[in-house]
Amino acid sequence: FMERFINFQEDKIKSKRLFFPSEEILVSKPNSLISWIFSILTFFFSAFYEEIIYRFFLPESAILFIQKKSKAKWLIIVCEILVALLFSLAHLYLGFFALLNALIAHIILRLLYKKYGLIIPIFLAHFCYNIMSLILL
């Protein structure tokens, strides 16, 4: 059953990018067990990295820096917006809709981090979302 499932996943999808329409992206699902393992590990470490950098380190560091220089609340909002844009621009290579999706995901995950102060559940949500995206591709 597993081999049949993996073979079913071999279909390749071509999509045009909105910002770079002359380039095509060739998206393919993993077609062997080892490919699945490496894909899952890649998603695991990239989700962890992105959560630490974009949800914790960059916004918190920028806010601490701003608060030392000024007490203006609007500067904190500007920092949050800039980090959200940085995160979404990191997904630009996937096209406009992925950029928009990343922006919305960042806002939701950052709000959850601000509310609960826990990075691990947010990392796990990000990782699970990436895995579901791979499976549903």
Side-chain angles (χ1 to χ4, degrees):
F1 173 77
M2 187 63 172
E3 186 174 297
R4 199 171 98 199
F5 176 75
I6 291 173
N7 288 337
F8 176 74
Q9 306 300 327
E10 290 182 27
D11 296 335
K12 295 187 175 160
I13 301 166
K14 288 184 180 180
S15 65
K16 292 275 190 179
R17 291 201 254 179
L18 185 61
F19 286 109
F20 306 104
S22 63
E23 299 178 26
E24 283 186 355
I25 303 172
L26 184 61
V27 180
S28 63
K29 290 188 178 183
N31 56 5
S32 68
L33 181 59
I34 198 82
S35 296
W36 275 98
I37 291 169
F38 279 116
S39 293
I40 290 169
L41 286 173
T42 300
F43 283 165
F44 182 85
F45 290 114
S46 64
F48 183 75
Y49 164 80
E50 287 180 351
E51 292 307 316
I52 295 298
I53 297 296
Y54 293 109
R55 243 66 82 203
F56 173 70
F57 180 75
L58 284 177
E60 298 299 326
S61 298
I63 289 169
L64 283 175
F65 179 76
I66 292 298
Q67 286 176 338
K68 287 181 181 178
K69 302 288 183 188
S70 171
K71 297 294 180 194
K73 292 274 186 187
W74 67 271
L75 287 173
I76 294 172
I77 295 169
V78 169
C79 287
E80 294 284 358
I81 291 170
L82 288 175
V83 172
L85 291 174
L86 280 173
F87 178 73
S88 61
L89 287 172
H91 297 82
L92 179 62
Y93 69 97
L94 293 169
F96 176 74
F97 294 111
L99 184 138
L100 188 61
N101 181 41
L103 181 63
I104 293 167
H106 174 81
I107 292 168
I108 291 168
L109 294 174
R110 180 68 179 150
L111 288 173
L112 288 172
Y113 176 75
K114 293 291 283 183
K115 182 174 183 175
Y116 297 108
L118 300 170
I119 201 76
I120 298 299
I122 294 166
F123 147 67
L124 291 174
H126 185 164
F127 172 66
C128 290
Y129 179 82
N130 287 348
I131 293 296
M132 287 177 53
S133 297
L134 176 67
I135 291 170
L136 295 175
L137 177 66

